[in-house]
Structure formats: structure tokens, C-alpha cells
Amino acid sequence: MQKFVLAICLLFFGAPAYRNLQAQESPREVCPRPAIGSVVPEPEDLRSKDGVLAVDLTEYNEKQKDGSVRYCYIYGNGVESPNLRVKRGDLVILKLRNNLSDADASAGAASPNHSHAKSEVASQSDPCAGGVMTATSANLHFHGLTIPPLCHQDDVLNTSVQPADTPFEYRFRIPENEPPGLYWYHPHIHGFSKTQVLGGASGALIVEGVERADLAGLPERVLVIRDQDLLNPNSPPSKSEPVVPKMMIDRDGDSANNGTGFGKPAKDLSINFVPVPYPDYPPAVIKMKPGERELWRVLNASAITYLNLAVLFNRAPQKLKIVGLDAVPVSTSGVSKDILAGQTHIGLPPGGRVEFVVEGPPAGVTGLFVTRTVDTGSGGENDPNRALATIVPSPDAAEPRSQLASAPEPLATPALPWLGSIAPTHVRRLYFSEKLSDPNDPNSATTFFITVDGQSPTAFDPASGVPDIVVKQGDVEDWIIENRSTELHAFHIHQLHFMLLESSGVIANEPFLRDTINVPYFNGRTLTYPSVRLRMDFRDPNIVGTFPYHCHLLEHEDNGMMGLIRVLPADSPAVADPLSRASRTQDLSSKPSSKQ
Ligand SMILES: [Cu+2]
């Protein structure tokens, strides 16, 4: 830790002139990005009015001179990735226009074999019909919301909007019992999720009301951390780094974890689109009034990068009071409000969110917002220590644009008993695994799997539509998810939250909920595979339907690490176990895809 702090400080204090090196971006760019070293801009807030949030978003892409492709959601006259702010019970009417261009997108597409058609003819007329998903297809996933998995709401299995289509309308109501906190929107086009998210297609969605957890009146700040391809891929590591690790490449072709916490990262990071590039990581700037308390809502919108967030003053990690994880206040269970009051670092997988209270540094002390290294395993990417932003105390600092209500009404008591107090009706085992397409060639393509124990590992087939798991609404289950690969994976399920009971055999029994969780990697030596045990909550009637669970490292998801669950209505007849994926593939090869 000491070495890391030293290096970060060297990085920061040793590179003050860096921001002059980057010219200001041209205002005519389609997906403009702030200059390196900028003050972290706040995304524009779009708030619901009279119970309705009506918003038109257009997804664009734009090829850069270096060959990379930026993606962005634009509102109105050029507002990029706005914050969508809603209240419980609000109606959201979001029109998504697809302005993606083939020529630009093809440069960054995952792989041509993912351009799969569910029918012979591309469906231009009905974006709900499960038509083609290509590099130029668009759709939205509202990550964390417990709205129905139906087209025009939160379906990603059949919804695919093409550039020729008229604007596609999403129309859904925020449930009255939706926990207040930080959700997000991003594309979920199978095979191309990584390309679009890495390019910048993502934004925050906030369900208001978190101030009811003792935060009345606090200024709040939304910080979206994204990853992107390295701006300086051929640069050697900074001379200020204490070690120069050997450069290695992992199975995905990214810079591999070298175990030191230093060296070339797999991806650069940005904070509200201000890039913080390798090798010197010139930090962005956050100005705060000295000692002022703020609520920070932080989203890891990275495609493949794990974060381990910390705030340092005078090189010392500060205590961060965690208020919410994955959009659920940590006090929801009523079990303990203070269990996360004194964390000095917060792990955040891709897709994860954390909301915590930060105190501005005292006058004269410049703080640092950093991500510490994450050990992703011998097969994982390199996620080294690096700065994200300096926190500069100034009495003149502008207040953040948004402030929590000063006189909130208390939240209603949850209608359902706390998940941790419910006995599971069923225990299932699933496992993550990876396979080289040619076992004799370590450089051959890798296929990624998430498999229900007993079924055959099969890459996700979007043409199938047949669920791997069937449950009934009202059920509560325990899922044990193993990792049989040598890299970290991040399990995510749509439509619901779960409770972490155990991780790597250690009792966690967390009295709070998540929707994305790290599953520790296998080091080749332990007698059993590492696993997490999760209590899965299928009690919400909103979630009846078919939806995916997958690894939230999007290159894994795009390359097969995804499965389907169907939640049947509570009054359905007894549930039969579905066929294994292997036999199912043969059975359905000549049949049209089934629909939910
Ligand atoms: Cu993964």
C-alpha cells in the first residue's frame, strides 16, 4: 500500500504539465470528450415532471483518427449521456433513435460471427421480433430496475432497433417499491455490447429518495467511470512506477494481470468522460469546499475493468460511509446501518455501483480519488493502481448541481420480509468456465461459458430462447456459482437483486443486496473451485418472463458467458427441468426460435 501511495503521488506531482499536451476537442465532434486533466463535468440532469420523464436519446458512433470508435447517447442539442432522474411511480417514456453507422462501427465490432439472424430476413418493421443483432443494432438495458422483461420495457433478448427504424419507444413505470439509488442504462446487443460500452454508450439513471437514509440536504455528485482502448498503447510504463513488470497478453488479447499492481493496464479509464490515460495517469480535477460532505454516486460503466476505489488525503486512505450498493440502500434490511460506515476502499466490478459520503479535504490538502489494483487472476486483465482525480479544496468551489431533499418523508417499510430471513426452496449450482477453440493453440479464440451443473457447457445461443433455469414467481433460491477458470468473473442477473451469503467458503451474510458480484478465480491449487453462494429473490411479480444472467465483463458475455432464466407466474403448474443445452441445440436446429 505504501508503495502504491508513493507511486500515485509521484505520478500526480511529477506530471503537472501534462494537461497542456492535449488540445481542446473540436466542438463539431459527434461524441465530444473533455480534455485530459479537465475539471470533472457533471452529466446534465433530466428530471421527471408531473410523474413523467419523457426523453429522446439518439445513439451515435464516430470513428476516430486512431481507429477507435466512440459511441454516445445524445439528448437534444448535444447533451451526452444525461442523468435520468425519476421518482417511484413515475412513467418513463424514452424514445431511442439509432444513428449508428456501419462503416464506423465495423472497425470495432467484436467478431463477424456474432452477426446472427434469428430469421432469414432482417426484421426492419418490428424491433420486438427478435431480428438481427449486428454492429449497428441498438437497444437499452436498464441495469438494476425491477421492471418487466418485456419489449418496450427491459427486454434485451428480442429487442433490436436498426438504423432504418423509426425511433423506438421504451415505456415503463418505476415500481412504487423500487429502492432509491443509482441505476444505469447501456446497450445490450449480444456480440456487440463490449464495443458499444467501451466506446462510451452508457449513462446514469437515478431513483430519487436516498436522502431518507439520513442524508437530507447533502450535495450529490454522479461519477461515471468508463474504460476505453489505451490512448498510448505503445508507451512504456511511467518511470515513476516502482516495478517494471513483464508485459503479457491474456486470452482476450488484453494486457494480462502481472500481479504487481503496476505496468500497462488492459484499458484506460475516464471519469465523466475525462480520460486518465496510461502511462502517467494525469488525474481529472474535482473541486470541493473544504470539509464539505457530499454524496458520491459512482458507477463502474467499464466494459472489462474492475475498480477498487479509495480516497486519499496526505497519502492516507479516508473512511467512506457507504450508503447504497447496486442501487439498494445498505440499511434496507434493517439489520445494521453502520456495517459499511468505515470502509477505506470499495471493490466495484463492471456494472456495479456504490453511493458513499465523502468529506472534502481540509484547506491546503489536495486529496486523490484513485482505483487500487484488483487481482483478476493469472488469466485476467491487468487493472493496476492509478489515479482518477485530484480533489482540490477551495472555498470558491461551485456546489454540485444537484442536492438531496432537505425534508424527506421516511421510506415505507418494505412489503416483503427481508430476503435473508427466507429459507430457500431450491439450491442450484452454476459454474463459469473457458475453453480454447484449439486446445493445442494457446492463441486460438476462447469461448466463455456459464453452465448449470449437469448441463453441457454451451456458448449462449441467441436463436434458442429456451431457458436454462425455470423458477416460479414467489420462489427464493440459493445459487452456488463456481469459477472454474483462472480469471475473475462478475456475475450479474437482470430484473432482480440477490444477497451474498458466502464467498470463497467464507460466510459473508451481507445484510444488503447486490445485482453484480465478483466470483473469485481458480488458482489451480485449491481442492474445490472458488464460489459464491447467493440468495436469489424471485418474489417480485414484476419480473415474470424470460431474461438473462451473465458475466458483466462484456467480452465474456459477448462470447457466450450468458444464460437464460424464465420466471413463471406463481400459479403455473409444477416446473420441469429444462433440457440440457446440448440436446436442446439439436432438437431446435430446424425449428423457429421460441418466444417468451
Ligand atoms: Cu467474465
Side-chain angles (χ1 to χ4, degrees):
M1 183 62 201
Q2 271 183 338
K3 263 189 184 171
F4 156 63
V5 173
L6 178 68
I8 287 292
C9 292
L10 280 172
L11 294 179
F12 167 52
F13 293 110
Y18 198 101
R19 69 193 59 161
N20 298 330
L21 299 178
Q22 190 77 4
Q24 188 67 39
E25 304 280 10
S26 154
R28 282 176 299 175
E29 286 182 298
V30 175
C31 301
R33 300 291 153 83
I36 293 166
S38 302
V39 169
V40 176
E42 290 184 71
E44 197 120 331
D45 290 308
L46 302 182
R47 295 174 193 273
S48 58
K49 281 183 196 138
D50 300 325
V52 178
L53 179 71
V55 51
D56 293 1
L57 286 182
T58 303
E59 187 178 2
Y60 290 94
N61 58 350
E62 181 189 34
K63 193 171 192 171
Q64 306 300 299
K65 284 188 197 123
D66 65 1
S68 66
V69 183
R70 289 182 189 166
Y71 286 76
C72 55
Y73 291 115
I74 299 290
Y75 167 76
N77 192 19
V79 173
E80 192 165 358
S81 294
N83 294 332
L84 307 183
R85 289 184 176 267
V86 293
K87 299 190 175 93
R88 297 168 171 215
D90 280 352
L91 182 65
V92 176
I93 306 170
L94 190 158
K95 285 196 178 129
L96 175 67
R97 195 166 72 89
N98 179 346
N99 202 72
L100 296 177
S101 136
D102 200 14
D104 288 346
S106 59
S111 68
N113 63 0
H114 280 104
S115 178
H116 45 71
K118 291 185 182 178
S119 56
E120 296 280 71
V121 181
S123 163
Q124 292 287 320
S125 55
D126 184 3
C128 292
V132 291
M133 289 195 177
T134 71
T136 57
S137 303
N139 67 6
L140 286 170
H141 170 43
F142 300 96
H143 185 126
L145 289 183
T146 58
I147 57 177
L150 301 174
C151 195
H152 298 285
Q153 299 203 52
D154 187 34
D155 162 65
V156 297
L157 301 173
N158 294 305
T159 308
S160 183
V161 183
Q162 313 309 327
D165 292 343
T166 52
F168 179 79
E169 185 178 90
Y170 286 91
R171 179 183 279 261
F172 54 85
R173 199 168 283 285
I174 304 296
E176 289 289 349
N177 60 353
E178 197 73 274
L182 179 58
Y183 300 76
W184 66 299
Y185 56 93
H186 66 82
H188 210 295
I189 293 291
H190 187 64
F192 302 92
S193 296
K194 177 194 166 187
T195 306
Q196 297 194 17
V197 171
L198 190 70
S202 55
L205 186 153
I206 293 140
V207 176
E208 308 281 14
V210 76
E211 61 270 17
R212 290 146 175 168
D214 306 331
L215 303 170
L218 280 194
E220 56 151 314
R221 213 180 270 276
V222 174
L223 299 170
V224 182
I225 298 169
R226 298 176 174 88
D227 60 3
Q228 60 184 62
D229 285 327
L230 297 178
L231 288 177
N232 309 302
N234 301 317
S235 173
S238 167
K239 289 201 170 69
S240 64
E241 296 213 336
V243 291
V244 182
K246 193 169 157 239
M247 181 61 201
M248 299 175 291
I249 298 293
D250 75 357
R251 283 181 171 189
D252 301 304
D254 303 309
S255 178
N257 178 25
N258 59 54
T260 68
F262 294 93
K264 190 186 286 189
K267 299 292 172 200
D268 277 337
L269 292 174
S270 69
I271 176 164
N272 289 357
F273 286 124
V274 181
V276 190
Y278 167 82
D280 292 320
Y281 311 117
V285 177
I286 295 172
K287 291 184 178 166
M288 288 176 76
K289 291 191 191 303
E292 183 169 56
R293 291 169 75 232
E294 290 183 359
L295 177 71
W296 284 14
R297 305 183 191 257
V298 185
L299 156 62
N300 184 357
S302 297
I304 67 160
T305 306
Y306 295 90
L307 300 175
N308 184 4
L309 302 171
V311 170
L312 313 178
F313 293 173
N314 283 332
R315 308 178 191 185
Q318 300 300 295
K319 286 188 176 169
L320 306 171
K321 186 188 173 197
I322 298 179
V323 172
L325 277 166
D326 293 350
V328 182
V330 293
S331 58
T332 297
S333 70
V335 175
S336 169
K337 287 188 176 180
D338 296 323
I339 191 160
L340 292 174
Q343 298 291 300
T344 54
H345 60 100
I346 304 165
L348 209 57
R353 289 88 68 212
V354 62
E355 292 158 277
F356 57 91
V357 176
V358 172
E359 206 163 285
V365 173
T366 297
L368 264 182
F369 183 40
V370 304
T371 177
R372 292 167 47 173
T373 187
V374 176
D375 180 4
T376 60
S378 62
E381 284 81 32
N382 202 36
D383 291 339
N385 298 298
R386 45 189 146 164
L388 295 167
T390 56
I391 309 169
V392 180
S394 163
D396 306 328
E399 289 285 355
R401 219 182 268 144
S402 184
Q403 201 166 353
L404 301 176
S406 53
E409 291 167 29
L411 284 178
T413 315
L416 294 168
W418 170 240
L419 183 59
S421 67
I422 306 290
T425 51
H426 201 110
V427 178
R428 293 179 201 266
R429 287 178 173 273
L430 294 85
Y431 62 94
F432 285 118
S433 62
E434 303 180 7
K435 201 171 129 194
L436 287 171
S437 53
D438 176 358
N440 299 318
D441 177 6
N443 295 319
S444 63
T446 307
T447 310
F448 295 84
F449 309 104
I450 182 165
T451 309
V452 176
D453 199 21
Q455 299 183 4
S456 308
T458 311
F460 176 71
D461 174 9
S464 148
V466 178
D468 304 278
I469 294 174
V470 180
V471 301
K472 276 206 272 190
Q473 184 256 317
D475 290 354
V476 169
E477 300 194 343
D478 277 7
W479 287 13
I480 297 164
I481 301 171
E482 283 181 355
N483 188 345
R484 300 185 183 177
S485 79
T486 57
E487 69 174 309
L488 195 58
H489 294 290
F491 175 82
H492 168 58
I493 185 164
H494 290 211
Q495 262 65 41
L496 61 105
H497 284 75
F498 49 77
M499 179 184 174
L500 177 68
L501 301 173
E502 285 176 35
S503 180
S504 289
V506 177
I507 303 281
N509 216 7
E510 294 182 343
F512 44 86
L513 303 174
R514 301 177 185 263
D515 61 34
T516 311
I517 186 76
N518 285 349
V519 185
Y521 62 86
F522 178 53
N523 65 9
R525 296 189 300 275
T526 51
L527 297 177
T528 54
Y529 292 111
S531 64
V532 295
R533 186 183 183 110
L534 309 175
R535 186 144 299 163
M536 310 294 293
D537 190 352
F538 305 108
R539 292 177 294 172
D540 183 350
N542 265 348
I543 69 171
V544 167
T546 305
F547 50 90
Y549 52 84
H550 57 86
C551 176
H552 219 291
L553 267 76
L554 300 183
E555 61 195 9
H556 299 173
E557 173 195 320
D558 282 339
N559 286 297
M561 213 168 233
M562 184 151 101
L564 294 186
I565 178 169
R566 179 167 297 162
V567 180
L568 298 171
D571 57 1
S572 307
V575 174
D577 271 338
L579 296 166
S580 76
R581 282 185 178 186
S583 54
R584 187 178 78 217
T585 305
Q586 288 160 8
D587 290 342
L588 295 178
S589 56
S590 58
K591 294 179 189 171
S593 63
S594 61
K595 294 293 188 305
Q596 63 188 28

